[in-house]
Amino acid sequence: MDIVSFHSIWTLAIFVCFIVIVLWAYSGRRKKEFDEAANLVFADEENAAQKKTGDDNK
């Protein structure tokens, strides 16, 4: 097996891995988890706002 064949097989293997990752990321089963992860930033802001208003009441 020469170097060109090795590079061709390696390129194909990396491409297949890329396609598998894309299918995993866009699958419907993962949508809920990704939506929750995307909203974590807003949950931190709400917690900070609650702490700030809680400190003013003391």
Side-chain angles (χ1 to χ4, degrees):
M1 178 158 55
D2 59 347
I3 194 74
V4 175
S5 297
F6 176 72
H7 282 205
S8 298
I9 293 170
W10 180 248
T11 301
L12 182 62
I14 294 298
F15 181 69
V16 169
C17 288
F18 174 77
I19 295 298
V20 168
I21 291 170
V22 167
L23 292 174
W24 171 78
Y26 285 101
S27 70
R29 294 182 300 176
R30 306 291 300 180
K31 182 171 176 32
K32 181 180 176 188
E33 293 176 27
F34 287 140
D35 286 342
E36 289 174 2
N39 289 323
L40 283 176
V41 175
F42 302 117
D44 288 343
E45 290 176 357
E46 290 174 3
N47 289 340
Q50 288 175 354
K51 286 181 182 178
K52 185 177 181 181
T53 57
D55 292 340
D56 293 342
N57 294 334
K58 288 183 179 179

